[in-house]
Amino acid sequence: MKFFYSPHYRSLQPIVASSEFHDLVHVLLSCQEPPTLRELKAKFPEVSFDKTLDRLIASALIIRQNRRYFLGFPVYTEEDQKQLQESDGFYQDALDWSTQEIAGFLKNFATLSNENKYFYGCLQEVEQGIVYSLAHESFQMISYAEAPWPPTLPAFFEANRQLQNLSVYDDLMDLIGDVDPVYYLDQVSVIFERIRKNKKVRPSIFLESLQQLKIVSSELDFLLEEINCDNLKNGRYPSAEKDIFLQRSVLAHLAKKVGSYNTFFFNDN
């Protein structure tokens, strides 16, 4: 099972990633009658379970009512996804979006998925796109992919924030290490400015990292799709769990269409 949630639940990440949480969700989904605390503790005898359960209740991910326990969030199946895709005009329209329309949707999604509070689960086989965002005062990079942890700069910094040690980023980690993202972006913003002005760019690990990630070519050409934010539509997309679920379905389709992952560069100047 996979779980998707807004930054409001970030403090629960260690719990949500644990096998105990996955097992608890499975138990609550499969029980014919919502269990009592005694029944839950018979399945989860660990001393720490009470504390974990209390945190999940406080966050409304588990509901306690009449001394019985329920899931406080939806879990979607392939059938749910199929029905939404077939019935929702938003999904059908997205299949024919232009690059500008994809970019506008992606930027709005990155903003709304951070601003709005949501948590949902889905079965492993359900396709859900993943978005990673990295912002500087003058630009923003947003990656979308059909699977977690693509080889992109925003995903690399998110992996560092989560203390994820992933082999896909070994070369980049060897090059720039656990660098502060604000400092890193300040350094590469200077490189971007000099490239645009056709000025000489001195060799550095920052330039090398941009070349390694195919953001800048060896000839110092900018390789990402550049989007001028002034030209984007400011559409507001719905943000309930079901709507976020549908939008991630769109992102998964778009990512597969372009070849697993893609990164847009949004110029905020």
Side-chain angles (χ1 to χ4, degrees), residues 172 175-176 191 203-213:
L172 193 57
L175 180 63
I176 61 175
I191 294 174
S204 68
I205 59 171
F206 303 104
L207 175 60
E208 191 175 340
S209 69
L210 295 174
Q211 292 170 333
Q212 185 181 115
L213 290 166

Side-chain angles (χ1 to χ4, degrees), residues 12 15 29 85 109 117 119 144 166-167 183 203 242 255 266:
L12 294 176
I15 292 177
L29 281 175
Q85 290 173 350
F109 180 87
K117 190 174 183 178
F119 191 109
Y144 65 100
L166 303 171
S167 60
Y183 176 74
K242 184 183 74 172
F266 294 89

Side-chain angles (χ1 to χ4, degrees), residues 130 132 145 147-152 154-156 158-160 162 164 166 168-169:
I130 313 293
Y132 300 95
W149 310 122
T152 69
F156 167 77
E158 178 61 21
N160 281 358
Q162 294 187 25
Q164 297 273 357
L166 303 171
V168 66
Y169 306 121

Side-chain angles (χ1 to χ4, degrees), residues 18-73:
S18 69
S19 59
E20 182 180 61
F21 181 74
H22 286 244
D23 292 342
L24 176 59
V25 172
H26 178 74
V27 166
L28 294 176
L29 281 175
S30 59
C31 282
Q32 290 186 348
E33 186 178 11
T36 63
L37 180 59
R38 178 177 293 181
E39 290 168 337
L40 282 179
K41 292 183 75 170
K43 293 180 180 294
F44 301 95
E46 296 81 2
V47 175
S48 61
F49 180 71
D50 282 346
K51 185 176 180 181
T52 297
L53 189 60
D54 286 343
R55 288 191 65 189
L56 293 172
I57 291 170
S59 301
L61 297 186
I62 300 294
I63 305 298
R64 180 173 54 203
Q65 190 173 48
N66 298 326
R67 299 184 179 181
R68 293 190 178 272
Y69 294 78
F70 308 78
L71 278 184
F73 58 89

Side-chain angles (χ1 to χ4, degrees), residues 153-195:
L153 192 63
F156 167 77
F157 278 109
E158 178 61 21
N160 281 358
R161 189 192 64 76
Q162 294 187 25
L163 303 180
Q164 297 273 357
N165 185 18
L166 303 171
S167 60
V168 66
Y169 306 121
D170 282 351
D171 290 344
L172 193 57
M173 183 61 76
D174 289 343
L175 180 63
I176 61 175
D178 189 15
V179 62
D180 178 74
V182 174
Y183 176 74
Y184 176 88
L185 291 176
D186 282 343
Q187 297 302 308
V188 300
S189 69
V190 175
I191 294 174
F192 294 153
E193 183 178 1
R194 295 189 70 83
I195 288 175

Side-chain angles (χ1 to χ4, degrees), residues 6 8 11 25 46 70 74 85 97 117 131 138 142-143 145 159 200 210 220 228 234 242 246:
S6 60
H8 304 83
S11 64
V25 172
E46 296 81 2
F70 308 78
Q85 290 173 350
W97 277 346
K117 190 174 183 178
V131 173
S138 60
I142 304 178
S143 301
K200 184 176 180 180
L210 295 174
L220 299 186
N228 187 330
N234 293 317
K242 184 183 74 172
L246 178 62

